[in-house]
Amino acid sequence: MAIHGGRFAVIDGVPAAMNWQVSDDGSLSRGVNSASAMGHFSRRGIAQWNGGWSCHGAIPAHFPSEIFTFKGYTAPDDDASGDGLTYNGSAIVDALGIQWNWAGGQVISHNLGFSGHLALTATPADDQVFDATFTDPEKICGTKITTSPDGTTFTELENVVQAQLNISAANQAYVNSGTACGTGRVPGPIDWNLSIVVEDNLAGSGLTKFNDYIWRIYVTASTYYELKWGMVKSFNGITMDRASQRVISHNINVE
């Protein structure tokens, strides 16, 4: 088409996108026979595609195992306004990662990865897409993490530096005579894990390894993700550095 910058890049129905990407992939069917002059020949194999995006905000437009229609707008043909090339296809969400960074004071953000269901198409001169949703991305100040062993009493986890919540789905791929050499997808089981960095010389900061807790990770002063239940798997990175005298910290890993 032409050379364009990414300043017009938008995903239809997804607010506050910072970037997006797709990869149009596939396999080749290769072989050697008596007619191939002692070399390999290649024929079309199975097509597949995938992609992802990064957004500001704690609440994604889609969650793992959800099937949605992807429409990624690239740029107007005249680099000013109007129709432009879009990538289109049905897709399913594989993974979501949400980041909290108290140390950097950063706006809460998330990354999402997906796999394509059947064909990806590139459509020239498609309608321009706009992010018409005004969003006020959640600030980190005033948020926190609390835990409870019984669902009644919640205790704030103190001195948290950063946290990442990962939610994934083991979606299933299939190829058969009805997919026209494309790859289809259906939802699979969902899992999650949580990684937290805490400044504290007590491993676990009062939590007990191999115990189950209910976790609440706040995105505002009153709104939170509730994860029921999460088992503490490990405490690692407990490091004392006399040379730099940096603040003692450790990681809490939950699944």
Side-chain angles (χ1 to χ4, degrees), residues 49 69-73 85-90 119-124 126:
W49 64 280
T69 299
F70 175 79
K71 181 176 182 177
Y73 179 82
L85 178 72
T86 64
Y87 288 91
N88 304 272
S90 178
L120 173 70
T121 60
T123 307
D126 204 354

Side-chain angles (χ1 to χ4, degrees), residues 76-94:
D77 294 338
D78 62 2
D79 245 355
S81 182
D83 296 347
L85 178 72
T86 64
Y87 288 91
N88 304 272
S90 178
I92 187 169
V93 181
D94 297 316

Side-chain angles (χ1 to χ4, degrees), residues 22-25 48-50 70 89-91 114-120:
V22 291
S23 296
D24 192 1
D25 204 353
Q48 62 177 343
W49 64 280
N50 58 66
F70 175 79
S90 178
F114 61 84
S115 293
H117 171 67
L118 302 177
L120 173 70

